[in-house]
Amino acid sequence: MDETPEELEQIRREAAEIDPYRYRRHRRWMITVLIFAAGAGVCWLAITMASAGRNPCERVRDHYCRHAKDQAKCASYESILRESVQDQSPAMRSMIRDQCLTKINRLKEEDGVSVR
């Protein structure tokens, strides 16, 4: 041992300042942040999938009936919604839903209206 008592005391002070659990706490903190981020991503995905699965005719009807400016349009889209659900032909129901989706896209592009 070539160290002097002052150097040994210096080494002891530096050793006492070392935190052996520093990196473990850091890793746990990072894992916690990642878990919460993943949870938020799953919630966002579930909400997006639930809203995307809605009938587009229902979305258009809700848009026009919510504002209630034109009750004729509201009633019209109410009957279109009924047809998109209750029509006998699956091909016709699909075509009606496609027309409603086209209406949603047109409202977004031309009028800048977001139909939820």
Side-chain angles (χ1 to χ4, degrees):
M1 298 245 287
D2 295 337
E3 289 87 13
T4 64
E6 294 84 26
E7 290 175 338
L8 285 174
E9 186 60 34
Q10 174 74 20
I11 292 171
R12 283 189 187 105
R13 274 186 271 138
E14 289 174 1
E17 292 176 5
I18 294 174
D19 183 9
Y21 301 108
R22 176 180 171 203
Y23 294 107
R24 182 179 292 174
R25 282 195 311 268
H26 179 71
R27 186 177 24 200
R28 285 181 181 165
W29 175 252
M30 291 302 292
I31 289 172
T32 303
V33 168
L34 290 175
I35 287 172
F36 277 109
V42 167
C43 289
W44 174 81
L45 183 64
I47 291 169
T48 302
M49 288 177 67
S51 66
R54 284 182 52 202
N55 186 339
C57 295
E58 180 183 4
R59 292 170 54 199
V60 172
R61 189 252 352 232
D62 289 347
H63 171 73
Y64 282 113
C65 291
R66 184 179 320 128
H67 300 296
K69 293 177 185 172
D70 190 3
Q71 289 298 324
K73 277 190 176 182
C74 179
S76 171
Y77 279 103
E78 186 71 43
S79 66
I80 291 172
L81 174 63
R82 261 193 314 279
E83 288 177 11
S84 74
V85 173
Q86 298 173 352
D87 198 88
Q88 298 294 327
S89 169
M92 187 64 178
R93 287 193 308 260
S94 175
M95 188 170 19
I96 292 170
R97 288 179 181 158
D98 286 341
Q99 289 174 352
C100 290
L101 193 56
T102 302
K103 177 71 173 180
I104 290 171
N105 292 335
R106 189 194 66 72
L107 283 170
K108 184 185 286 184
E109 290 173 2
E110 293 179 5
D111 298 338
V113 176
S114 176
V115 178
R116 296 182 192 137

